[in-house]
């Protein structure tokens, strides 16, 4: 919790928020962060805070994996830690990304009847767009109608940009609550320890830094996805398909949970026609839910046309982008545009391949097994993550909950711990440091030192914990 408070202070000092209540109450911190020495100091405080959070998380993994206390006691410990570590960041501005300011502007546009699927935040003026990343000022949003509805409702209550950010962070908190409900159940289906699975997801550095601090829509999306699969396995496919549609109504990849919904609700020995009927039913309900949500908000499904907007950025974590750039470099003699063509082609092939994998999983994946449905859903999301044209650190939240619920041995679990650790601790190396070479160098050195030490410490995490004490669904509620 001390680490989270340090991240809060460091984030406020380096945020340069627009005119708001936050700017009024944090004047001294902003004054410190406005100078280069002060900014370097506050970045060091932020990295130290994330290091403390990660250190506490590694200790929590030990406690969650302890087979002594009952699972329900360990799950309660994990949930309490998640709440305490997240609470200070409720008041923070968007951390390690400016996306949260874009959410605020898009909510205000929706309230005013300006479709964010037609115009960008540039349609507004005043403090509410002062902190929006200039790159996204004139672009429509690729997000579904659910975040827009929440943003419009919040904008009807207050016009303060910071308070609207807090409202959007509450939406991320709702996603955390849904994950706290669903992850233990998914782990139980797979014969894994529900407390350890919860600890791997809810209070991880990845979740605290990007999900809570960055308040990205991924948390709400994945929370809805987890609930959709749990409902499918325990209640049936119709309500689950609607929840899958709501997940897609946050971000399009959320609809991929419908693959798991199909598989978990079919019997072991299912005929081809029966599978196709179920696929059609789930698709109809989920797509109908997305359409209805857009109609209720009054923006329709225009966001489908903006799905390519994030692709204007070439992110270093996108394997297809980097492969395309490599091929473009190798074919540089073929023309000035050969590099761009290579990137576009490889990205396109990656998207097509991911769609084919999802389709094959839906039509050929194992049925009649809850554990297989969890693993298949996680595999599809991992493939989409690896082959995506744009991959940010917080996109790992798409597949980490499924991997945590169904890990297949100590080596896989060790990889999962390392990924969550590194993606969380490296969060301060964001684009806001571009051009600030001294601050970037200092942050890189600090992150390398803290991350290296924590990776060494993570080797002592009990990754071989026996899953035999997995609680029954009724005991993890």
């Amino acid at each position: 919790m001390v680490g989270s408070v340090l991240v809060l202070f460091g984030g406020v000092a380096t945020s340069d928020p627009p005119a708001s209540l936050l700017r009024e109450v944090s004047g001294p911190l902003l004054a410190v962060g406005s100078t280069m020495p002060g900014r370097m100091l506050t970045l060091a405080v932020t990295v130290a805070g994330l290091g403390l959070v990660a250190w506490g998380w590694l200790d929590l993994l030990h406690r969650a994996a302890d087979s002594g206390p009952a699972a329900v006691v360990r799950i309660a410990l994990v949930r309490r830690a998640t709440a305490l570590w997240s609470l200070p960041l409720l008041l923070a501005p968007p951390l390690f990304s400016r996306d949260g300011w874009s959410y605020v502007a898009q909510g205000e546009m929706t309230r005013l009847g300006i479709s964010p699927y037609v115009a960008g935040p540039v349609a507004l003026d005043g403090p509410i767009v002062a902190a929006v990343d200039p790159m996204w000022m004139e672009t429509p949003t690729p997000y579904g109608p659910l975040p827009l509805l929440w943003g419009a409702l919040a904008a009807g209550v207050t016009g303060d940009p910071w308070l609207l950010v807090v409202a959007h962070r509450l939406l991320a908190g709702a996603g955390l609550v849904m994950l706290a409900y669903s992850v233990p159940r998914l782990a139980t289906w797979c014969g894994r320890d529900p407390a350890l699975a919860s600890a791997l997801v809810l209070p991880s550095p990845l979740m605290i830094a990007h999900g809570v601090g960055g308040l990205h829509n991924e948390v709400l999306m994945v929370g809805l996805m987890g609930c959709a699969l749990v409902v499918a396995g325990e209640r049936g496919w119709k309500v689950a398909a609607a929840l899958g549609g709501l997940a897609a109504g946050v971000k399009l990849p959320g609809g991929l949970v419908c693959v798991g919904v199909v598989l978990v609700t079919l019997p072991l020995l299912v005929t081809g026609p029966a599978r196709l009927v179920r696929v059609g039913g789930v698709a109809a309900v989920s797509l109908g839910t997305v359409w209805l949500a857009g109609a209720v908000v009054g923006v329709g499904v225009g966001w489908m046309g903006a799905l390519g907007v994030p692709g204007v950025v070439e992110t270093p974590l996108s394997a297809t982008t980097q492969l395309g750039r490599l091929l473009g470099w190798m074919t540089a003699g073929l023309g000035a545009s050969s590099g761009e063509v290579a990137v576009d082609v490889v990205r396109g092939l990656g998207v097509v391949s991911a769609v084919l994998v999802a389709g094959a999983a839906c039509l050929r994946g194992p049925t009649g097994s809850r554990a297989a449905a969890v693993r298949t859903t996680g595999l599809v999301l991992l493939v989409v993550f690896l082959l995506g044209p744009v991959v940010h650190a917080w996109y790992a939240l798409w597949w980490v909950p499924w991997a945590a619920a169904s890990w297949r041995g100590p080596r896989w679990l060790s990889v999962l711990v390392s990924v969550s650790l590194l993606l969380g601790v490296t969060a301060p190396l964001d684009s806001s440091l571009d051009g600030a070479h001294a601050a970037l160098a200092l942050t890189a050195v600090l992150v390398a030192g803290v991350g290296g030490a924590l990776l060494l410490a993570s080797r002592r995490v009990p990754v071989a914990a026996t899953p035999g004490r997995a609680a029954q669904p009724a005991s993890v509620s």
Side-chain angles (χ1 to χ4, degrees):
M1 191 170 184
V2 171
S4 290
V5 172
L6 292 179
V7 173
L8 167 65
F9 287 155
V12 170
T14 58
S15 64
D16 190 22
S20 61
L21 182 60
L22 176 63
R23 179 170 282 277
E24 294 177 10
V25 301
S26 58
L29 276 177
L30 294 175
V32 171
S34 64
T35 65
M36 182 53 65
R39 189 177 189 189
M40 295 173 72
L41 173 63
T42 53
L43 284 169
V45 168
T46 303
V47 174
L50 286 174
L52 287 176
V53 170
W55 183 18
W57 178 61
L58 293 176
D59 182 65
L60 183 64
L61 291 179
H62 282 276
R63 297 171 184 269
D66 184 0
S67 60
V72 65
V73 174
R74 291 178 283 126
I75 291 173
L77 171 65
V78 171
R79 290 172 175 172
R80 185 165 62 251
T82 304
L84 290 174
W85 300 356
S86 301
L87 188 60
L89 299 181
L90 176 66
L91 303 177
L95 300 178
F96 317 123
S97 166
R98 294 193 193 182
D99 285 4
W101 298 116
S102 293
Y103 301 164
V104 166
Q106 291 154 7
E108 174 66 4
M109 291 173 66
T110 304
R111 185 186 73 85
L112 295 175
I114 305 172
S115 175
Y117 302 149
V118 176
V122 71
L124 303 175
D125 55 20
I128 203 161
V129 293
V132 174
D133 193 320
M135 178 177 292
W136 310 122
M137 281 292 287
E138 299 183 14
T139 59
T141 178
Y143 302 124
L146 261 65
L148 299 182
L149 174 61
W150 178 259
L153 293 174
V157 176
T158 178
D160 186 288
W162 172 59
L163 295 180
L164 290 173
V165 164
V166 173
H168 278 277
R169 191 165 274 114
L170 291 175
L171 196 60
L176 262 182
V177 171
M178 286 186 278
L179 284 172
Y181 166 80
S182 58
V183 168
R185 285 164 170 78
L186 298 176
T188 299
W189 291 2
C190 298
R192 300 301 167 195
D193 189 326
L196 180 56
S198 298
L200 287 166
V201 177
L202 302 178
S204 72
L206 171 65
M207 180 65 74
I208 296 298
H210 294 293
V212 179
L215 59 96
H216 293 287
N217 286 327
E218 270 70 14
V219 187
L220 177 63
M221 180 191 79
V222 177
L224 285 167
M225 294 171 73
C227 288
L229 194 54
V230 168
V231 169
E234 298 179 356
R235 305 292 181 182
W237 68 269
K238 294 181 181 178
V239 175
L243 288 172
L246 290 178
V250 178
K251 292 190 73 170
L252 187 61
L256 292 172
V257 73
C258 291
V259 173
V261 171
V262 169
L263 299 179
V264 80
T265 56
L266 286 172
L268 179 62
L269 300 176
V270 62
T271 63
R275 186 190 288 253
L276 288 175
V277 169
R278 180 57 48 83
V279 170
V282 171
V285 172
S286 59
L287 291 174
T289 302
V290 173
W291 178 86
L292 181 61
V296 169
V297 180
V299 294
V301 292
W303 56 291
M304 297 291 183
L307 292 177
V309 168
V312 301
V313 178
E314 295 186 358
T315 56
L317 294 180
S318 170
T320 55
T321 296
Q322 299 311 316
L323 178 58
R325 294 177 69 178
L326 176 62
L327 291 177
W329 174 77
M330 295 173 63
T331 59
L334 300 180
S337 62
S338 62
E340 296 180 4
V341 172
V343 170
D344 291 341
V345 169
V346 176
R347 280 178 159 186
L349 290 174
V351 172
V352 171
S353 300
V355 171
L356 291 176
V357 168
C362 203
L363 297 175
R364 304 288 296 177
T367 60
S369 168
R370 292 177 172 181
V374 175
R375 287 193 293 268
T376 303
T377 303
L379 176 61
V380 169
L381 288 162
L382 178 58
V383 168
V384 172
F385 172 83
L386 294 175
L387 298 181
V390 179
V391 178
H392 295 287
W394 52 90
Y395 286 13
L397 292 169
W398 298 358
W399 58 270
V400 162
W402 315 94
S406 61
W407 55 274
R408 283 284 190 98
R411 181 173 298 178
W412 176 238
L413 188 54
S414 180
V415 169
L416 181 59
V417 170
S418 299
V419 167
S420 297
L421 191 65
L422 286 177
L423 292 182
V425 173
T426 56
L429 296 173
D430 67 293
S431 58
S432 67
L433 294 178
D434 288 348
H437 302 298
L440 179 60
L442 173 66
T443 305
V445 170
L446 291 173
V447 165
V450 171
L454 290 168
L455 278 178
L456 290 175
S458 71
R459 298 176 63 183
R460 297 184 290 105
V461 173
V463 294
T466 302
R469 291 183 58 88
Q472 296 303 312
S475 66
V476 297
S477 59

